[in-house]
Amino acid sequence: MTRGQVYQRLELAWWRQLGLTLAPLLLACVFFTVSEPGILALLLFIAGVGSLLISFKLYGAYKRALDLTRAALDTSDEPAAWLRLAAVRRTAFLAASLPAWFAAVGVLFSLHAVPVVLLALASLGLLLLYRIPPLVPVPPVA
């Protein structure tokens, strides 16, 4: 598989994850009406904000995998590095999706629109961090 094909598959995986992240929230907003919010809606919002902390550790692992992939370009280790990057990124995608998924559950318990939008934007922002940048091989150290 060429590097361009790998980029294309990773880009497609990002768009697929974006759909999987926001689809439950959109469906919940379309099919459920908001009534008087209870304490559970507030707890779900707090849990959604707290789930942002999970992404910090996973983002560090993603950046390390990205650096290892960059260093492995044009070597025999490149296919393994791409596979490792994809695996780390899949795990990070799940953590990045948590705020939107908490918002979707919060809609079922009458969470207001502003917290729902904030959690959805938080997930979107986290997912944007996991887009694959153009990788340039690291020059050898003399």
Side-chain angles (χ1 to χ4, degrees), residues 11-98:
E11 240 348 87
L12 184 63
W14 186 88
W15 283 103
R16 185 174 38 243
Q17 185 62 41
L18 180 64
L20 290 172
T21 299
L22 296 180
L25 179 59
L26 292 174
L27 290 173
C29 288
V30 167
F31 291 113
F32 293 95
T33 60
V34 175
S35 61
E36 187 62 30
I39 189 69
L40 193 55
L42 179 63
L43 292 176
L44 285 168
F45 175 70
I46 292 169
V49 171
S51 70
L52 292 171
L53 299 175
I54 297 170
S55 291
F56 291 145
K57 183 178 179 184
L58 295 175
Y59 183 70
Y62 166 74
K63 289 301 282 184
R64 284 189 296 279
L66 193 63
D67 290 339
L68 289 174
T69 303
R70 184 177 287 126
L73 291 178
D74 298 325
T75 66
S76 62
D77 295 334
E78 184 175 356
W82 283 113
L83 290 174
R84 170 137 173 78
L85 177 64
V88 168
R89 195 174 143 196
R90 273 191 303 271
T91 305
F93 276 165
L94 293 177
S97 299
L98 283 176

Side-chain angles (χ1 to χ4, degrees), residues 78-125:
E78 184 175 356
W82 283 113
L83 290 174
R84 170 137 173 78
L85 177 64
V88 168
R89 195 174 143 196
R90 273 191 303 271
T91 305
F93 276 165
L94 293 177
S97 299
L98 283 176
W101 291 341
F102 274 112
V105 175
V107 168
L108 303 177
F109 293 98
S110 303
L111 187 63
H112 284 293
V114 173
V116 168
V117 169
L118 288 175
L119 290 173
L121 288 176
S123 281
L124 180 62

